Amino acid sequence: MKVVLIGAGRLATNMGKALYAAGHEVAQVFSRTQSSASVLASVLNSVAVTQLYDVVNDADVYVVALKDDALEALLPDICRGKSDAVVLHTAGSMPMDVFKPYANHYGVLYPMQTFSKEKELDFSKIPCFIEANDDQSLQLIRVLAESISGRIYEMSSDDRRYLHLAAVFACNFANHCYALSAEILAQHGVPFDVMLPLIDETARKVHVLSPVKAQTGPAVRYDERIIKKQAELLRDNPPVKELYELMSQSIHRIMRQGE
């Protein structure tokens, strides 16, 4: 297929490389900054553009990989003149019908993964969730998705909101807990890398156990003596102390439900 990438960030970089490796023609890469567009375009044997009026109108599909606020602001210009093409976005929380006033054929291809430009991932293992406003568009998006991933699921915009919420807990909030751990360790001269074996083993466990069964720590049995002592260590940081207490209560509640 002839594809145009609207965006040159982390997701666009990884998906663009996967599309190119799968044999698709990535005709153009759009970014509002020349350097970002040029770096990715050079990797994809593509053309960098920084103005939406320079984006060609004859591609089969336009993959919009922008931040949510930029996506909504630029949609009229992105979709203009592309009535025969499929325009899709890659966002977890944005509804498909954001395209409705501007495009005839549209949909979603949401890869549920955290991306960086520096680390290449095996895209074939990334779950991708698709949706479209008509059967023709859905078929095209499915073919495109199946060319880069072996895990494709149809999902409505409403259900995808909850998928994205679950991903925030599993990824963004978990990573923030790493940051809090690093902060506590740094205050006492301990490098964060001492936590890596623990983090790795915890992640491995949920490949074979449910998260509830993999849970350990004082909150499982709600050991109030230990919980109070640890909370007291956070007395100079009330927001984190409150977070510790709420997390401990939440862990115990879920464990009780599973009994």
Side-chain angles (χ1 to χ4, degrees):
M1 294 183 198
K2 185 174 182 178
V3 179
V4 170
L5 284 178
I6 307 296
R10 292 173 293 181
L11 193 157
T13 296
N14 282 269
M15 185 179 287
K17 290 178 179 179
L19 290 169
Y20 183 67
H24 299 286
E25 175 193 356
V26 182
Q28 291 178 315
V29 175
F30 164 83
S31 175
R32 285 181 285 192
T33 58
Q34 182 66 51
S35 59
S36 296
S38 296
V39 167
L40 182 53
S42 66
V43 173
L44 305 180
N45 194 27
S46 185
V47 175
V49 294
T50 58
Q51 300 296 330
L52 285 172
Y53 55 71
D54 288 328
V55 173
V56 297
N57 291 332
D58 63 344
D60 299 304
V61 60
Y62 295 81
V63 177
V64 185
L66 300 171
K67 293 180 180 179
D68 289 357
D69 54 350
L71 167 63
E72 293 189 274
L74 296 177
L75 272 182
D77 293 328
I78 291 171
C79 297
R80 187 173 294 115
K82 303 171 182 65
S83 58
D84 294 330
V86 173
V87 186
L88 63 86
H89 73 65
T90 58
S93 57
M94 184 68 68
M96 175 184 69
D97 283 347
V98 70
F99 289 114
K100 193 171 185 178
Y102 312 109
N104 293 332
H105 309 289
Y106 53 88
V108 178
L109 198 175
Y110 169 53
M112 195 180 65
Q113 183 54 277
T114 179
F115 295 103
S116 65
K117 291 185 179 181
E118 297 76 19
K119 183 179 180 182
E120 291 196 22
L121 301 176
D122 182 355
F123 217 98
S124 67
K125 297 179 180 178
I126 297 174
C128 291
F129 298 84
I130 64 172
E131 183 183 15
N133 72 314
D134 57 52
D135 290 341
Q136 177 184 342
S137 301
L138 184 63
Q139 178 60 25
L140 183 145
I141 294 172
R142 177 174 289 281
V143 170
L144 189 73
E146 288 178 346
S147 72
I148 59 175
S149 172
R151 302 183 65 184
I152 309 302
Y153 307 89
E154 287 186 39
M155 180 173 283
S156 69
S157 289
D158 188 56
D159 286 339
R160 187 165 25 86
R161 291 184 306 155
Y162 291 96
L163 177 74
H164 190 246
L165 173 62
V168 167
F169 275 95
C171 177
N172 306 131
F173 288 178
N175 190 75
H176 181 61
C177 288
Y178 300 157
L180 295 177
S181 173
E183 188 175 74
I184 291 168
L185 292 171
Q187 291 168 357
H188 298 277
V190 182
F192 178 70
D193 63 11
V194 301
M195 289 291 166
L196 295 180
L198 177 64
I199 290 170
D200 292 343
E201 179 58 22
T202 302
R204 278 192 290 266
K205 282 168 68 175
V206 295
H207 283 264
V208 295
L209 298 173
S210 71
V212 171
K213 290 185 177 180
Q215 186 70 59
T216 60
V220 170
R221 58 192 180 276
Y222 211 75
D223 188 325
E224 291 191 57
R225 183 178 59 86
I226 294 177
I227 290 171
K228 285 181 179 179
K229 284 185 176 181
Q230 292 191 334
E232 181 61 20
L233 295 175
L234 297 166
R235 61 186 177 275
D236 295 331
N237 193 341
V240 177
K241 180 176 183 288
E242 183 181 12
L243 180 61
Y244 173 88
E245 292 169 340
L246 289 172
M247 289 281 280
S248 296
Q249 293 165 15
S250 181
I251 290 169
H252 187 61
R253 176 183 58 80
I254 290 177
M255 297 303 295
R256 289 287 300 274
Q257 289 174 350
E259 289 179 352

